Amino acid sequence: MNELARITEALLFLSPEPVSLERLADATESGEGEVLEALARLREHYADGYRGVVLREVAGGFTLATDPVAEKAARRLLARPRTPPLTQAQAECLAIVGYLQPVSRPEIARIRGVASESATATLLERGLVEESGRSRFGAVLYRTTELFQKLFGLEALDALPDVSRFDPTPEDERDLRERLLKAGEARAEPHQA
Amino acid sequence: MNELARITEALLFLSPEPVSLERLADATESGEGEVLEALARLREHYADGYRGVVLREVAGGFTLATDPVAEKAARRLLARPRTPPLTQAQAECLAIVGYLQPVSRPEIARIRGVASESATATLLERGLVEESGRSRFGAVLYRTTELFQKLFGLEALDALPDVSRFDPTPEDERDLRERLLKAGEARAEPHQA
Amino acid sequence: MSVASLDLDLEVFQGPFDLLLTLVLREEVDLLEVELADVVVTYVDFLQDRGEIDLEAATEFLVLIAALLELKSRMMLPVEETDGLELEPSEAADELLARMLEYRRYRDAAAFLRERLTAEQGYRYRSAPLPAHLRRASLEVAEAVYEPDRLAEALGGLLRLPPQIDLHHLARPRVSLEQRLAHVRTLLRKQASFSFDDAVQGADRMTEAVTLFALLELFKSGEASWDQSEPFGPITVRAPAGEERSAGAGRASTGPGSP
């Protein structure tokens, strides 16, 4: 390992947050190309499956993390509770903020069909989303945080899979449509709104 | 690297404090002999002078730490100048050490009329004061550091400003230390006339 | 108010309003059977009770109710009345269909996120404070940021002696038991009975307390007795005439010095 790789390793070890290529280059007073080379060397050292620590690229930067092989022992040693899983409501809000950001609470409610106050509050409290100004109607807008990217192992926001991947299949869609039409036809008589 | 060595590496990576052999054995549910072997393997990986991170055995156990080679870069990346404004308690402690040095912690407490552990600890951590031997009663003595002089723009210690401008009774010609102790004791237990 | 706390009691649906649209989107409630006018009436009643409007919550309500109204009216519009709109029955359902599909998309994205979070739980990041030497300003680049006078001023403050507390102005009442005993005995000699209030008229609390103590002394020595018909009521002090002492048992329970 050359000196730049050694220094890069130390910086990633010390920094509590992922460090971008640019900041690594600044701190080491090197070019980004050199740092990328150093990172490649580090990656060899921290090859998946061979070490307890792995080099990861998340939230727009590089960081070291422990391999899941150590999860159980780490829990015994640190007695730090795992981050609680997301409830369905929280996950839905997070998905909407993740894909549509910046997005307001009324908009989240429109899509979910349900007021989303408490789920949004929890996501804010857990640091997964944050406020991001106001819409032109004055509603608070939300976006995801770096912690979100870190905890979900995303290199960047656009590393989220394309949202069309979650669209219902054409068969599901046709099926749903037919059922709706039947419901409509069953009521030829107008009802009161 | 076998699995135990990988897990041990991960545990040392995560823990901010040195971890004892016993705790490593507990967390990995292994024998201490096995953990020692794993540590030996790790030591090969973290050989001094080849990596940015080194394995250290210090009082209390094993720990990973950065090699000094990365010090400058780490400062550029992470060290924000830690010079927040001084609190009144810190300013008083620092003044006492500055003008009376060397001075012991019990003396600081007597002069201020209150225990001053946390202010002293902060000054120590920020490198403004340091230990300077012990008094004949065994109390730790403090003095100011070179960093103190730089942060206050002082050429030398005797360049500290004259106190008489702020002295409520400048005509009192007794020794400064004696006067401070007297005043401190008077503040600690108010006497009735 | 929170939209979630608006409780509905409709023919086809009972529960919090904010569940209604979800159930419609999940096809668990038939929108055509929901009387939306009742929902609005309930909301207006609720607002009236509250007397205040939380704008964010009101917006949420409007968004939800507007969506419901739009969906429902489109589904109900008879073809011949859609002057210029020419909504086919299939188009009428389109809006609701689009909404349902959109919801499903994010429901499935949510499932993906939950799985992803679980998968990522195994990776742990280090969160340790910086080593002490990196937490200090470095000597080489340290600049003068503190004002030396701050130290001189702090030390000057520490030289200040606390103001002496002068207690001379506090008159210390001195009341002796002997004085009060003499006072009560004098009163008893003058009259067979008198009220305690008369005995301490114009006196301070200390004097009252010592007088009561004097009375206890006199009771002990048999020089006086007293009675009080109710707690905090007037106390009558008497010289111990023979007939009164024999009647004393009957009233002893209320007297402060009862044996």
Side-chain angles (χ1 to χ4, degrees):
Chain A
M1 215 185 264
N2 65 12
E3 189 170 302
L4 183 55
R6 290 174 63 197
I7 294 175
T8 307
E9 181 184 35
L11 295 182
L12 298 185
F13 176 83
L14 288 174
S15 176
E17 297 302 328
V19 193
S20 69
L21 183 61
E22 194 190 339
R23 289 184 65 216
L24 282 173
D26 277 355
T28 56
E29 298 185 319
S30 317
E32 295 192 0
E34 292 169 285
V35 175
L36 277 177
E37 236 170 82
L39 285 166
R41 271 163 206 261
L42 275 185
R43 212 185 297 276
E44 283 166 33
H45 268 267
Y46 288 103
D48 258 356
Y50 290 98
R51 295 285 304 274
V53 177
V54 293
L55 176 63
R56 305 198 84 202
E57 199 174 344
V58 293
F62 297 86
T63 187
L64 296 173
T66 55
D67 189 283
V69 73
E71 170 61 21
K72 273 192 188 161
R75 219 179 309 155
R76 279 191 290 265
L77 180 72
L78 300 172
R80 208 183 298 152
R82 280 157 72 103
T83 35
L86 296 174
T87 65
Q88 180 63 25
Q90 289 158 8
E92 284 179 13
C93 286
L94 192 56
I96 293 168
V97 177
Y99 280 103
L100 300 183
Q101 57 189 305
V103 61
S104 71
R105 215 171 73 197
E107 177 71 2
I108 300 172
R110 188 191 67 78
I111 294 170
R112 294 189 57 226
V114 63
S116 306
E117 220 173 327
S118 104
T120 317
T122 308
L123 294 176
L124 274 168
E125 197 183 290
R126 289 177 64 174
L128 292 169
V129 306
E130 63 191 4
E131 293 193 6
S132 157
R134 287 179 178 272
S135 75
R136 54 202 172 101
F137 304 112
V140 175
L141 295 170
Y142 297 99
R143 65 175 169 218
T144 55
T145 60
E146 276 197 9
L147 180 65
F148 162 75
Q149 293 179 42
K150 196 170 151 183
L151 288 182
F152 285 79
L154 301 167
E155 279 171 45
L157 263 188
D158 53 22
L160 275 172
D162 197 287
V163 76
S164 61
R165 176 175 146 186
F166 304 111
D167 281 342
T169 62
E171 294 80 53
D172 281 348
E173 195 178 324
R174 202 176 319 123
D175 185 49
L176 192 58
R177 172 186 220 96
E178 270 165 24
R179 273 188 286 145
L180 277 179
L181 281 177
K182 269 191 206 128
E185 281 159 8
R187 285 171 185 74
E189 296 292 292
H191 284 59
Q192 272 183 297
Chain B
M1 215 185 265
N2 65 11
E3 190 169 302
L4 183 57
R6 290 173 65 196
I7 296 176
T8 307
E9 180 183 32
L11 295 183
L12 296 183
F13 171 83
L14 288 174
S15 177
E17 302 293 330
V19 193
S20 68
L21 184 59
E22 195 190 337
R23 290 182 65 214
L24 284 174
D26 276 355
T28 56
E29 297 185 322
S30 317
E32 296 193 358
E34 292 169 286
V35 175
L36 277 176
E37 232 170 84
L39 284 165
R41 269 162 207 261
L42 276 185
R43 211 185 300 276
E44 284 165 30
H45 270 266
Y46 286 100
D48 257 355
Y50 290 96
R51 297 283 305 274
V53 178
V54 292
L55 176 62
R56 290 257 153 79
E57 187 172 356
V58 293
F62 299 86
T63 188
L64 292 175
T66 50
D67 188 285
V69 73
E71 161 114 20
K72 274 193 182 161
R75 245 178 224 296
R76 277 190 290 266
L77 181 69
L78 301 164
R80 290 170 190 81
R82 298 268 303 166
T83 52
L86 297 172
T87 65
Q88 184 61 22
Q90 289 158 6
E92 288 180 9
C93 287
L94 196 53
I96 294 167
V97 179
Y99 282 92
L100 301 185
Q101 58 191 304
V103 63
S104 70
R105 202 152 76 186
E107 275 181 306
I108 299 173
R110 274 170 67 196
I111 291 172
R112 295 195 58 230
V114 288
S116 304
E117 267 84 13
S118 113
T120 316
T122 307
L123 296 176
L124 274 167
E125 191 189 295
R126 294 206 193 137
L128 289 164
V129 305
E130 64 190 3
E131 295 191 4
S132 153
R134 290 185 175 264
S135 76
R136 56 202 170 101
F137 306 111
V140 175
L141 295 170
Y142 297 104
R143 66 175 170 216
T144 55
T145 61
E146 223 184 312
L147 182 62
F148 163 81
Q149 290 181 40
K150 270 203 144 177
L151 291 177
F152 278 88
L154 301 168
E155 296 285 308
L157 269 186
D158 53 23
L160 274 168
D162 191 354
V163 183
S164 60
R165 271 190 301 144
F166 301 98
D167 190 344
T169 50
E171 63 284 354
D172 195 333
E173 283 180 359
R174 281 178 303 161
D175 178 54
L176 189 60
R177 184 184 224 101
E178 192 187 325
R179 291 181 57 207
L180 283 167
L181 285 166
K182 282 261 157 58
E185 275 152 24
R187 275 191 303 272
E189 322 159 12
H191 295 285
Q192 289 169 8
Chain C
M1 68 161 262
S2 155
V3 174
S5 61
L6 183 66
D7 254 319
L8 297 179
D9 187 3
L10 310 175
E11 230 176 296
V12 294
F13 173 79
Q14 282 182 335
F17 163 71
D18 81 332
L19 246 187
L20 183 56
L21 187 52
T22 309
L23 294 179
V24 170
L25 291 180
R26 292 178 190 168
E27 299 176 84
E28 286 168 38
V29 165
D30 188 340
L31 184 56
L32 289 170
E33 293 186 356
V34 178
E35 299 288 349
L36 290 176
D38 289 350
V39 177
V40 176
V41 167
T42 310
Y43 181 69
V44 171
D45 284 349
F46 194 99
L47 280 189
Q48 222 151 29
D49 288 350
R50 265 305 159 93
E52 58 179 87
I53 290 185
D54 169 353
L55 272 183
E56 192 115 275
T59 314
E60 242 166 6
F61 176 83
L62 288 176
V63 166
L64 295 176
I65 194 71
L68 284 166
L69 280 167
E70 187 185 354
L71 292 177
K72 187 171 176 184
S73 53
R74 288 218 197 175
M75 291 181 80
M76 284 172 23
L77 277 181
V79 184
E80 60 273 19
E81 286 180 24
T82 55
D83 210 23
L85 275 167
E86 290 302 322
L87 269 180
E88 292 297 313
S90 64
E91 284 177 63
D94 271 354
E95 180 68 22
L96 182 53
L97 181 67
R99 294 285 313 275
M100 286 176 163
L101 292 176
E102 188 181 23
Y103 170 71
R104 284 182 183 211
R105 171 193 293 164
Y106 291 104
R107 184 194 63 189
D108 293 350
F112 162 80
L113 285 180
R114 293 176 80 182
E115 275 165 35
R116 178 96 188 193
L117 184 62
T118 310
E120 285 289 316
Q121 289 272 300
Y123 295 99
R124 285 184 182 242
Y125 298 93
R126 192 168 178 270
S127 71
L130 281 181
H133 66 277
L134 283 174
R135 272 180 276 157
R136 299 180 179 163
S138 118
L139 190 57
E140 302 92 74
V141 297
E143 287 171 11
V145 290
Y146 294 130
E147 187 49 57
D149 270 357
R150 179 83 200 279
L151 297 181
E153 199 180 347
L155 207 70
L158 290 171
L159 282 169
R160 196 159 293 131
L161 287 162
Q164 304 271 299
I165 299 166
D166 183 4
L167 297 174
H168 280 126
H169 64 283
L170 291 176
R172 230 184 242 188
R174 288 188 178 277
V175 191
S176 76
L177 184 60
E178 286 72 27
Q179 281 170 6
R180 298 316 289 171
L181 276 170
H183 175 65
V184 177
R185 283 187 179 124
T186 308
L187 287 174
L188 279 171
R189 274 198 295 276
K190 283 183 190 161
Q191 51 210 104
S193 76
F194 59 89
S195 82
F196 181 77
D197 286 343
D198 289 342
V200 295
Q201 199 162 33
D204 57 35
R205 289 168 63 85
M206 176 69 86
T207 307
E208 283 183 22
V210 179
T211 308
L212 196 70
F213 195 73
L215 272 178
L216 285 168
E217 284 290 317
L218 293 175
F219 183 83
K220 205 167 74 182
S221 61
E223 290 175 66
S225 67
W226 64 68
D227 64 285
Q228 183 181 29
S229 54
E230 54 179 343
F232 305 109
I235 298 172
T236 308
V237 183
R238 294 170 205 283
E243 65 277 18
E244 274 182 348
R245 216 176 283 179
S246 61
R251 61 180 188 254
S253 60
T254 52
S258 58

